């Protein structure tokens, strides 16, 4: 269910506050205005937020007129029945429901109230527009994870505060905002150290999570395959290990006998193992087991790739920023019926589908996991085996959301992660998706920056045939040209030529099939041996 964010300003000239000084002044106190009566009626008994206290900067961020997740979900006939999407939406948390039962009929639904979230952003470099885009993306991530974004603050500092990340004054101001809107969670647009998280929670008096924890939570919700779940769990444990905390008795020594009952006795003296140390050891043991399991799953994927290499089947990897439309494009190209949802990281498990070029050559499409700015290093390491699917491809379709406010930033983020793959050197076609709603000036600007590009709309089918032609041109062609007469008894060789090679001409004679074609070296040797 899309979240109803605050409405856009009435006029473009109402929006001000584009300087860094105004960013520092976000949420400066102002005279509260009375909330509309209808708004009070929609959420009785809940704290009402004051629209008058927000400055234009915050209004612009929360309005999200050009957000990564729009309030409209487009459907296409090529997406199939989308049974996975129906299963995912079978149980949804909804806003406006109290967790206290006021009517016995609520028992039948058992739906939980959405987490009420306030965002906190900080930027040290770049301009205000980049910082706003990052905070809009954080709002979309929070919505995907299952929350309702109520408010946000944005600050510019020379460097993050080592104690509370935001600084003493801004942290106190954030606490006021949290209390004012009745939020129960603060999401910080950055990675917090263990001490910073504790200190900020002490100030705001609610749960605090950072961008990394939010992304890991989304991955945990959406992982479906055994390998995907293991990879996500490993990433979560790597993130959790240095952030374990203990309270009260959990910090005490472990001992047996009468000590457990509060007394003293033999075995209570000397070094022991604290509860938190025991938890750390268990986590490390679990991580070691997960690494062994993931390593054991690797041969299956490697065997599939080896089989494709042995049969000389080219591979096309589809990669790109999250919610750029990779799964929609795969459905449009192959009719795969992969889950399509207007959400970030909707699909995590890679999908491989067979296809053909217009001249009959077979190849495979591989849809991979999406990317995002500041992708957690734990996820990069955990999903390295999946990313190798991209590095092993013959061609990369780099899908970009041309309607996004910062498509160049998306391209940089994806190329940064792919650049970390050892020996990555794959030909690339930049596919500018969502051309039906993108600005022509944006499309022209991006095409001038890349060598090979295609403009498409996975929703309407615009530009798909031109993209297929480009794929056929960039895929490797068989190296050996043959001119042979193949006996009719070896129809299997003719079939393999049509499947993996490029047929130039074919003529049926009395003694066999006269074939001119381009094939790989192994098949060429078999054809000459049979002729």
């Amino acid at each position: 269910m899309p979240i109803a964010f605050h409405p856009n300003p009435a006029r473009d000239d109402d929006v001000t506050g584009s300087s860094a000084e105004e960013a520092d002044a976000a949420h400066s106190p102002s005279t509260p205005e009375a909330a509309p009566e209808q708004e009070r009626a929609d959420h009785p008994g809940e704290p009402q937020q004051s629209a008058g206290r927000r400055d234009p900067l915050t209004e612009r961020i929360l309005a999200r007129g050009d957000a990564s997740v729009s309030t409209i979900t487009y459907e296409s006939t090529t997406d199939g029945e989308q049974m996975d999407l129906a299963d995912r939406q079978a149980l949804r948390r909804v806003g406006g429901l109290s967790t206290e039962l006021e009517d016995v009929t609520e028992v039948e639904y058992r739906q939980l109230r959405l987490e009420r979230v306030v965002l906190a952003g900080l930027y040290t470099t770049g301009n205000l527009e980049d910082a706003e885009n990052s905070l809009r993306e954080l709002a979309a991530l929070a919505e995907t994870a299952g929350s309702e974004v109520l408010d946000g603050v944005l600050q510019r500092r020379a460097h993050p505060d080592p104690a509370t990340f935001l600084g003493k004054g801004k942290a106190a101001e954030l606490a006021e905002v949290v209390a004012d809107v009745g939020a129960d969670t603060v999401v910080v647009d950055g990675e917090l150290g263990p001490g910073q998280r504790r200190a900020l929670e002490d100030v705001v008096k609610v749960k605090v999570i950072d961008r990394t924890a939010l992304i890991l939570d989304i991955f945990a919700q959406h992982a479906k395959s055994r390998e995907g779940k293991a990879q996500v769990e490993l990433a979560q444990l790597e993130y959790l290990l240095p952030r374990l905390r203990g309270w009260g008795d959990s910090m005490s020594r472990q001992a047996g006998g009468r000590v457990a009952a509060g007394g003293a006795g033999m075995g209570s003296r000397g070094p022991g193992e604290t509860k938190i140390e025991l938890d750390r050891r268990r986590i490390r043991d679990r991580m070691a087991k997960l690494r062994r399991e993931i390593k054991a799953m690797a041969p299956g994927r490697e065997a599939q790739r080896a089989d494709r290499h042995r049969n000389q089947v080219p591979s096309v990897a589809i990669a790109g920023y999250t919610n750029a439309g990779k799964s929609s494009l795969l459905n449009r190209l192959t009719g795969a019926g992969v889950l399509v949802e207007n959400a970030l990281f909707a699909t995590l498990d890679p999908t491989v589908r067979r296809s053909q070029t217009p001249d009959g050559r077979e190849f495979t499409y591989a849809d991979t996991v999406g990317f995002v700015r500041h992708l957690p290093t734990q996820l990069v390491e955990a999903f390295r085996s999946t990313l190798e699917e991209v590095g092993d491809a013959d061609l990369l379709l780099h899908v970009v959301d041309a309607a996004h406010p910062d498509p160049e930033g998306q391209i940089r983020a994806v190329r940064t992660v792919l650049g970390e793959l050892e020996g990555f050197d794959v030909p690339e076609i930049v596919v500018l998706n969502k051309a039906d709603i993108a600005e022509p000036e944006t499309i022209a600007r991006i095409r001038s920056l890349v060598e090979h590009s295609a403009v498409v709309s996975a929703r309407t089918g615009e530009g798909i045939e031109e993209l297929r032609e480009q794929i056929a041109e960039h895929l490797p062609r068989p190296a050996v040209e043959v001119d042979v007469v193949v006996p009719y008894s070896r129809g299997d060789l003719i079939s393999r030529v049509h499947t993996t090679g490029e047929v130039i001409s074919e003529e049926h004679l009395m003694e066999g099939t006269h074939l001119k074609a381009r094939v790989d070296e192994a098949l060429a040797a078999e054809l000459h041996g049979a002729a």
Side-chain angles (χ1 to χ4, degrees):
M1 186 181 78
I3 303 300
F5 285 88
H6 308 291
N8 288 309
R11 305 187 310 275
D12 290 340
D13 54 81
D14 289 339
V15 179
T16 58
S18 58
S19 67
E21 289 78 7
E22 288 166 310
D24 288 331
H27 280 95
S28 56
S30 59
T31 304
E33 296 177 0
E37 293 299 324
Q38 183 61 43
E39 183 179 351
R40 291 196 186 96
D42 290 341
H43 301 285
E46 294 186 2
Q48 296 300 327
Q49 40 192 116
S50 172
R53 74 173 284 125
R54 295 195 200 97
D55 64 0
L57 171 66
T58 306
E59 290 286 359
R60 191 161 60 245
I61 291 172
L62 294 181
R64 296 201 308 148
D66 50 5
S68 299
V69 177
S70 71
T71 56
I72 303 174
T73 299
Y74 297 102
E75 297 180 354
S76 172
T77 56
T78 61
D79 290 335
E81 295 184 358
Q82 292 291 299
M83 299 300 294
D84 288 340
L85 181 60
D87 182 61
R88 180 175 293 180
Q89 294 180 340
L91 179 62
R92 283 287 192 180
R93 288 175 289 181
V94 299
L97 286 182
S98 172
T99 54
E100 296 181 1
L101 295 182
E102 298 177 357
D103 187 337
V104 71
T105 58
E106 292 186 27
V107 176
E108 299 177 8
Y109 300 97
R110 300 188 185 280
Q111 292 168 307
L112 301 179
R113 181 172 60 86
L114 291 165
E115 284 189 73
R116 300 166 63 84
V117 168
V118 171
L119 309 178
L122 182 149
Y123 66 109
T124 58
T125 59
N127 54 41
L128 182 62
E129 183 179 0
D130 292 338
E132 287 185 31
N133 287 334
S134 181
L135 208 58
R136 286 191 185 99
E137 185 174 88
L138 186 69
L141 287 168
E143 176 184 339
T144 301
S147 64
E148 180 182 9
V149 179
L150 303 177
D151 217 325
V153 296
L154 183 61
Q155 180 189 25
R156 175 160 190 160
R157 288 178 61 97
H159 52 79
D161 182 69
T164 62
F165 188 76
L166 297 174
K168 183 177 179 181
K170 186 61 69 175
E173 187 177 329
L174 178 62
E176 294 179 3
V177 174
V178 168
D180 183 54
V181 300
D184 49 37
T185 305
V186 169
V187 182
V188 177
D189 192 16
E191 185 164 347
L192 297 175
Q196 289 175 320
R197 178 184 172 184
R198 286 195 298 269
L200 194 55
E201 283 183 342
D202 290 342
V203 176
V204 299
K205 308 300 183 185
V206 296
K207 178 177 68 176
V208 175
I209 65 172
D210 58 16
R211 184 186 182 96
T212 300
L214 182 60
I215 294 175
L216 290 173
D217 182 83
I218 295 171
F219 270 59
Q221 292 183 49
H222 292 177
K224 292 180 61 180
S225 69
R226 180 167 170 260
E227 184 179 11
K229 291 178 179 178
Q231 289 170 331
V232 172
E233 184 181 354
L234 177 60
Q236 287 182 311
L237 292 177
E238 287 180 345
Y239 174 80
L240 175 64
L241 185 59
R243 292 170 172 82
L244 278 182
R245 291 186 287 179
W247 290 272
D249 291 342
S250 67
M251 301 294 288
S252 63
R253 300 290 179 185
Q254 304 298 297
R258 292 165 54 195
V259 177
M266 291 184 296
S268 64
R269 294 173 289 274
E273 188 176 38
T274 64
K275 177 66 165 58
I276 197 168
E277 288 170 348
L278 182 63
D279 290 342
R280 288 196 181 108
R281 179 162 58 82
R282 287 173 174 168
I283 288 177
R284 283 191 288 266
D285 290 344
R286 178 61 179 166
M287 289 169 61
K289 182 180 179 182
L290 287 170
R291 289 193 179 100
R292 289 194 299 269
E293 291 179 357
I294 293 172
K295 187 176 181 181
M297 298 175 199
R301 193 177 297 279
E302 292 171 1
Q304 293 173 355
R305 287 201 293 261
D307 186 58
R308 291 198 295 267
H309 284 306
R310 184 170 57 254
N311 294 320
Q312 300 292 318
V313 178
S315 173
V316 177
I318 302 177
Y321 212 78
T322 180
N323 208 41
K326 299 181 296 300
S327 297
S328 297
L329 181 63
L330 178 66
N331 289 342
R332 175 64 68 173
L333 289 169
T334 67
V338 176
L339 182 145
V340 174
E341 185 178 11
N342 186 25
L344 305 187
F345 300 113
T347 52
L348 299 182
D349 301 313
T351 302
V352 179
R353 291 291 184 272
R354 188 177 291 269
S355 186
Q356 281 188 344
T357 61
D359 55 9
R361 288 175 290 150
E362 287 199 351
F363 66 97
T364 60
Y365 286 111
D367 178 23
T368 60
V369 67
F371 299 83
V372 73
R373 289 184 184 87
H374 314 302
L375 188 67
T377 55
Q378 297 92 340
L379 283 176
V380 176
E381 290 300 320
F383 280 81
R384 186 164 294 276
S385 61
T386 304
L387 294 176
E388 287 173 358
E389 194 80 36
V390 180
D392 202 50
D394 297 286
L395 178 65
L396 172 65
L397 296 187
H398 182 170
V399 185
V400 179
D401 181 357
H404 191 272
D406 184 23
E408 291 90 347
Q410 290 191 350
I411 295 174
R412 286 193 299 271
V414 173
R415 287 178 173 174
T416 297
V417 177
L418 293 179
E420 297 176 5
L421 297 178
E422 184 177 353
F424 179 78
D425 184 19
V426 179
E428 176 191 61
I429 297 177
V430 175
V431 181
L432 302 177
N433 193 23
K434 306 183 184 180
D436 52 320
I437 57 175
E439 295 292 336
E441 296 81 6
T442 302
I443 294 175
R445 185 179 72 246
I446 299 175
R447 299 196 75 174
S448 67
L449 300 175
V450 298
E451 184 176 358
H452 302 290
S453 62
V455 180
V456 305
S457 170
R459 182 173 72 92
T460 65
E462 174 189 348
I464 294 297
E465 291 306 318
E466 291 80 358
L467 175 60
R468 285 196 173 103
E469 293 174 1
Q470 282 203 50
I471 293 172
E473 292 174 4
H474 284 81
L475 283 177
R477 293 180 177 274
V480 181
E481 186 170 331
V482 295
D483 185 352
V484 294
V485 177
V486 183
Y488 288 120
S489 60
R490 296 306 308 271
D492 59 315
L493 294 179
I494 301 296
S495 176
R496 286 173 57 188
V497 171
H498 281 277
T499 300
T500 64
E502 183 179 353
V503 178
I504 300 174
S505 66
E506 184 178 14
E507 183 181 2
H508 298 289
L509 306 176
M510 290 292 295
E511 58 272 22
T513 303
H514 181 209
L515 194 67
K516 289 184 180 180
R518 293 188 183 90
V519 296
D520 59 82
E521 293 180 0
L523 183 54
E526 291 188 58
L527 288 169
H528 285 298

